[in-house]
Amino acid sequence: MSMWSKLIALLRGTAYEAGASVVDANALKILDQEIRDADSALGKARDDLAALVAKRRILEKDLGSLRDQVGKYEGSARAALAKGDEALAREVAQRIADLEQEASLKAPQLEEMRGAEERMHQVIAATQQKVENLRREIDVVKVNESVQRAQASVAASGTGANAALGSAADSLKRIKERQAIREEKFKAAGELEDRRTGADLDAKLRNAGILPGQTTADDILARLSAPVETPLQVDAALKIEAPKAPES
């Protein structure tokens, strides 16, 4: 192989590798576009099928009309023969022959159109199924691609992520320590204020039962339920309890 041939082969190989690399890098985009092209082709096929169905129905109507005319003219020919008008009967018979000839030409066309219509239905259904299967496979591939990219990203930045998590944990620990110190400061400040105002001493006296505590609802109900003494009852109590004067 000459030098030029080797250079040409090298250029072709490099171009192929570059093209393959571009295709692989954009494989999902290419598949999406191919799916869109297939959908467009299916849409065109459905339009062609609809046109074929319309033509087949028109041909069926034409054949039906020909058969109706044949039946009508057969009755007319019989009537002409019954009257003995053979010339008219022959003319009607010729018309029947022409109609039957036309019908015999259109009948195979109708059968061919029906067969083509059935084949198109099958092809469109099979193609649609293939497109749907391919679309589902593409969806799975897209999900796998996203997951693998995420895994690659995590693997590539795993050390940095672990360091970041460790730093975040240290920061959280320091925040908790600062909050605990601040909480103790608040408690100490409250205790100093209680000492300054004597509130701490009052609390100790109440706990010892020396100072009256807070009046409760039960205390108020007991007080309201006690019988009320009248002035006479008070005077009588005073007389009974008054001490006697010493005898001279």
Side-chain angles (χ1 to χ4, degrees), residues 72-167:
K72 181 185 69 173
Y73 283 120
E74 284 180 349
S76 299
R78 291 190 184 94
L81 289 173
K83 290 183 178 182
D85 193 344
E86 186 175 347
L88 181 59
R90 183 176 295 276
E91 184 178 354
V92 174
Q94 184 59 48
R95 177 59 178 164
I96 292 173
D98 294 339
L99 292 172
E100 289 180 346
Q101 179 66 23
E102 185 178 357
S104 65
L105 293 175
K106 289 185 176 182
Q109 296 176 4
L110 178 60
E111 292 301 322
E112 184 178 353
M113 292 177 72
R114 286 173 176 170
E117 181 180 340
E118 181 62 26
R119 288 192 299 273
M120 287 186 69
H121 274 297
Q122 294 176 357
V123 170
I124 289 174
T127 305
Q128 181 66 44
Q129 186 62 44
K130 290 180 180 178
V131 170
E132 293 298 329
N133 292 338
L134 183 58
R135 183 177 283 112
R136 284 192 289 269
E137 291 180 5
I138 291 174
D139 291 338
V140 173
V141 170
K142 285 182 178 179
V143 172
N144 290 336
E145 185 71 13
S146 299
V147 171
Q148 290 178 1
R149 286 179 181 175
Q151 290 175 341
S153 177
V154 171
S157 60
T159 304
N162 292 332
L165 289 174
S167 177

Side-chain angles (χ1 to χ4, degrees), residues 146-218:
S146 299
V147 171
Q148 290 178 1
R149 286 179 181 175
Q151 290 175 341
S153 177
V154 171
S157 60
T159 304
N162 292 332
L165 289 174
S167 177
D170 293 339
S171 299
L172 181 60
K173 181 180 179 181
R174 289 193 297 271
I175 291 173
K176 289 182 178 180
E177 289 176 352
R178 288 198 301 269
Q179 290 178 347
I181 293 172
R182 192 179 298 117
E183 184 67 23
E184 292 298 327
K185 287 182 179 180
F186 291 153
K187 291 181 180 179
E191 291 173 356
L192 291 175
E193 180 65 18
D194 289 343
R195 289 183 180 181
R196 186 185 67 83
T197 60
D200 60 335
L201 182 58
D202 292 341
K204 291 179 181 179
L205 292 173
R206 279 194 298 271
N207 292 334
I210 297 173
L211 288 180
Q214 184 179 359
T215 303
T216 65
D218 293 334

